Each structure stands twice: as C-alpha cells, then as structure tokens.
Amino acid sequence: RQPPAGTHKRRLAKATRSLNSRAGSDSMLSVNSYRRALSSRSLLLKLNVCQRGPSQRCLSSFASIPPDEEEKEKSRVASLTPYQKEIELRELDSEISRLQTLRGINTGELYTMRGKFKALTRDYGLGFMAYYWSVWFGTAGLSYAAMKVGGVDPLVVAAKAEMWLGLEYGSITGRLDPTLGEIGLVLLLNELLEPIRLPFVVMTTKPVVDAMSRR
C-alpha cells in the first residue's frame, strides 16, 4: 500500500535536520555515527517523492533536485568541516561506483571490452588517455620499424592491391606519393594491431596509471 502523500518528504526533512544537528557538534561526532547518518539520508534521497495534485509532478532519483532543496543542500555542505566533507565524498564515490557497476551488469557492458574501455575512460580520465595514446604511438613506431626491417615497399603493396582488386595498372601506384604511402601503410598496420593493443591497455591501465600518479 502506498504511504500517505508527503511521508517520504517529511522523512527526508527529518533526516536532513538530524544530519545538520550532528554536523554542528564536530567534537562529539564519531566516524561511525556520521556514516550511519549519511547512509540513512542517502537511502531516503533514493526514494521517489511524489506530490499528488493537478500536475501529478513526481520527483525521483533520476531527476535533478528542486532549487529549494539544492539551496538547503548547499547550506548543509557549507556547515561541514573538511574532515566531514572527505567522509561524505568517500561515501558518495563508493555509492556511485556501485551504481555504475550495477548499470554495467544491467547493460552487459561490464563483460565486454568496449564497456571496460568506457569504464577506464570514466574512472581514469586524462591518465588513461595519455597511457592509451602512448601505447598507440609505440605500436606505430614498431610497425614502422618492422616495415623498414622487412623491406616493405608501399608501391609494391599498392601494385598488388591493384592486381587483387582488378584495377588498371597505375590507377593507384601512378598517383601514390612514396612518403604518404609509407605513412598510410604504417597506420594500416598499426590499426591491425588494435585487437591486441586494446586488451593489453585494458589489463595494464590500473597498475600503470596508479604507479604514475604516486610519483
């Protein structure tokens, strides 16, 4: 049975007042009590708060909070000490990480290489992108070195491509610049390495980026 209209909102207001009163007495606040208060408030924030009326407006966890609640939250956060903010941020980060994992399970992305790539981009940001492109340029350098050592000529490759495609001789080789041909062949070889490069980056990003961030 649905609770009376406004019940969730009254519970949320009560929890907020309780949390604000606890935040004001920092000397009497322990880590465990603060975490319990924060956990209780977070649970109430997840509940849908429906206002029954002509507009049938319903505020849920999927929508932004109303401006008045935003101002109250700003005031509450402003009254917290740096230590309390750090504890709250850790709790929020933990909850966000859990929700993102649940979403990955729901969409199936948690079990795909593409989903893991997206998660690494989200979690590590610039560090992950710097590492990925470092590996990308590294494999490009290896591709160029292998092409030089193997004596691969882009014009010869282009001539064979003409033969395989049934094109007239010179339709590609006659207009191909040797330098641009080398660059194009290196890019092609490097992209062919992506099925190997991407799993390698996904598996090694966490230890490498963490090690770099500690320096």
Side-chain angles (χ1 to χ4, degrees):
R1 189 178 61 178
Q2 292 287 342
T7 300
H8 294 321
K9 194 171 185 178
R10 286 195 297 272
R11 290 178 181 174
L12 179 60
K14 183 178 179 181
T16 303
R17 288 195 298 271
S18 175
L19 188 61
N20 288 337
S21 64
R22 295 186 183 196
S25 56
D26 180 51
S27 59
M28 302 298 294
L29 184 65
S30 66
V31 174
N32 290 333
S33 63
Y34 186 79
R35 284 179 175 174
R36 285 197 297 270
L38 180 61
S39 177
S40 175
R41 186 176 185 278
S42 298
L43 181 61
L44 289 171
L45 279 171
K46 293 176 188 176
L47 297 174
N48 291 339
V49 180
C50 296
Q51 298 178 350
R52 301 186 180 277
S55 62
Q56 286 294 103
R57 185 168 65 92
C58 183
L59 304 177
S60 70
S61 58
F62 295 100
S64 300
I65 62 175
D68 55 340
E69 292 187 17
E70 182 180 350
E71 291 301 321
K72 291 179 181 178
E73 182 67 12
K74 287 171 63 176
S75 300
R76 184 191 70 82
V77 171
S79 66
L80 299 178
T81 64
Y83 174 74
Q84 291 170 340
K85 287 182 180 180
E86 179 66 22
I87 294 296
E88 182 165 339
L89 285 175
R90 290 182 182 180
E91 293 285 346
L92 292 174
D93 288 341
S94 176
E95 181 64 16
I96 290 172
S97 178
R98 189 183 74 86
L99 292 175
Q100 288 172 341
T101 301
L102 292 175
R103 187 183 187 280
I105 295 173
N106 186 279
T107 60
E109 290 184 344
L110 187 65
Y111 311 106
T112 64
M113 196 60 63
R114 177 175 176 270
K116 292 177 181 179
F117 185 88
K118 288 173 60 178
L120 288 172
T121 305
R122 180 191 66 228
D123 296 339
Y124 290 93
L126 185 60
F128 169 72
M129 296 307 298
Y131 177 56
Y132 174 81
W133 285 110
S134 297
V135 175
W136 190 93
F137 281 108
T139 54
L142 291 176
S143 299
Y144 179 77
M147 190 177 69
K148 286 297 186 181
V149 171
V152 179
D153 189 345
L155 294 179
V156 174
V157 175
K160 290 185 177 181
E162 290 174 344
M163 182 181 64
W164 292 334
L165 297 174
L167 300 175
E168 183 181 354
Y169 179 76
S171 57
I172 298 177
T173 55
R175 294 179 291 180
L176 181 64
D177 181 86
T179 302
L180 294 179
E182 280 189 352
I183 295 174
L185 191 56
V186 167
L187 293 176
L188 177 61
L189 292 174
N190 197 33
E191 288 306 309
L192 291 176
L193 293 175
E194 186 67 13
I196 300 174
R197 180 172 54 242
L198 182 58
F200 172 79
V201 171
V202 169
M203 289 186 295
T204 58
T205 291
K206 183 175 175 57
V208 170
V209 175
D210 289 345
M212 291 173 60
S213 63
R214 284 195 295 266
R215 291 182 178 180

